Amino acid sequence: EDQVTQSPEALRLQEGESSSLNCSYTVSGLRGLFWYRQDPGKGPEFLFTLYSAGEEKEKERLKATLTKKESFLHITAPKPEDSATYLCAVQRTFSGGYNKLIFGAGTRLAVHP
Amino acid sequence: EPEVTQTPSHQVTQMGQEVILRCVPISNHLYFYWYRQILGQKVEFLVSFYNNEISEKSEIFDDQFSVERPDGSNFTLKIRSTKLEDSAMYFCARTTGFNEQFFGPGTRLTVL
């Protein structure tokens, strides 16, 4: 069965204190791994898609990496505005069209000044 | 990026009543999804809709649920007889040509 596990469940950082969030997955044929940011009461906001092991993508203070079993979201010198829940999702290979996303439970990040 | 809009933002209904949630794409995309998120839980896939037909549906998407695109523009999710456990945030999403799924702001459904 396809499964996505994120750790830690919650993370508290001081402003400027870099850290990493983990997403481990089990999927029968990975088409893509997605990272989203979600603020309370809002829809997930797209950050990155990774398709193959070794791939890396960056956006401001965020950098996502992918291996065959897990993905990391590195946050460098975070600011209070980076506080949010970060969601990881996987997409299986599909014979046609675009397949559904399978989400993890997320990591709640709080960055304090 | 261009997204979708959803209406209403909050819907309160009595158990057993029918509700219709609407998704309005800004661009004329063909591939849409509905997901839901019960408070404090994971985002869960409900159904995908491609070229005016259901492409895939989850076990959650039982006979109480239906989707359609009545006027070629709005994309609706109907729950025929709401239950307390249907209370959740419902998100519409659409796919670009690059396989990225963009989510709308959601509709909060409260069933009393």
Side-chain angles (χ1 to χ4, degrees):
Chain A
E1 184 181 335
D2 300 332
Q3 205 161 18
V4 180
T5 304
Q6 293 189 245
S7 61
E9 289 184 12
L11 181 63
R12 178 189 170 114
L13 298 174
Q14 289 297 121
E15 185 172 2
E17 179 188 1
S18 301
S19 188
S20 294
L21 313 183
N22 177 264
C23 171
S24 62
Y25 62 90
T26 305
V27 64
S28 55
L30 179 72
R31 179 170 185 171
L33 186 139
F34 296 69
W35 282 99
Y36 287 86
R37 169 190 170 129
Q38 187 177 32
D39 293 303
K42 304 290 177 95
E45 176 189 342
F46 174 79
L47 293 173
F48 306 107
T49 309
L50 303 166
Y51 290 101
S52 56
E55 188 175 0
E56 298 181 352
K57 287 194 177 171
E58 287 188 67
K59 180 179 180 179
E60 296 180 357
R61 295 177 292 282
L62 301 176
K63 178 180 175 181
T65 61
L66 180 65
T67 72
K68 289 186 178 179
K69 293 183 179 180
E70 58 192 349
S71 177
F72 293 93
L73 185 65
H74 308 278
I75 303 177
T76 302
K79 299 181 178 182
E81 53 261 43
D82 294 322
S83 297
T85 296
Y86 290 85
L87 304 176
C88 172
V90 297
Q91 183 184 54
R92 268 198 284 155
T93 53
F94 194 53
S95 59
Y98 302 112
N99 204 359
K100 66 185 179 188
L101 298 182
I102 303 162
F103 280 85
T107 293
R108 292 189 314 279
L109 174 66
V111 182
H112 296 270
Chain B
E1 290 100 354
E3 296 180 353
V4 295
T5 61
Q6 293 185 244
T7 60
S9 57
H10 190 191
Q11 174 90 48
V12 181
T13 189
Q14 295 291 325
M15 190 169 56
Q17 294 297 304
E18 175 183 286
V19 294
I20 297 176
L21 311 182
R22 290 184 173 81
C23 173
V24 184
I26 295 176
S27 302
N28 188 25
H29 293 278
L30 294 176
Y31 225 105
F32 297 94
Y33 310 81
W34 283 101
Y35 291 83
R36 79 173 185 189
Q37 186 176 31
I38 296 171
L39 185 63
Q41 297 188 22
K42 295 181 182 183
V43 176
E44 302 175 288
F45 168 77
L46 291 176
V47 65
S48 58
F49 194 76
Y50 173 67
N51 205 20
N52 297 323
E53 291 185 354
I54 290 177
S55 178
E56 186 181 6
K57 57 183 181 180
S58 71
E59 293 177 352
I60 303 169
F61 195 87
D62 60 20
D63 293 342
Q64 294 295 326
F65 291 88
S66 62
V67 289
E68 60 180 21
R69 203 172 184 192
D71 56 7
S73 175
N74 290 355
F75 177 48
T76 63
L77 175 69
K78 182 190 292 185
I79 309 175
R80 290 191 180 83
S81 179
T82 50
K83 305 169 190 168
L84 295 175
E85 54 264 37
D86 293 328
S87 295
M89 285 288 288
Y90 288 80
F91 297 110
C92 172
R94 56 87 171 160
T95 295
T96 69
F98 298 99
N99 195 31
E100 296 161 352
Q101 290 192 22
F102 291 96
F103 284 71
T107 293
R108 179 178 299 282
L109 176 64
T110 302
V111 182
L112 303 176

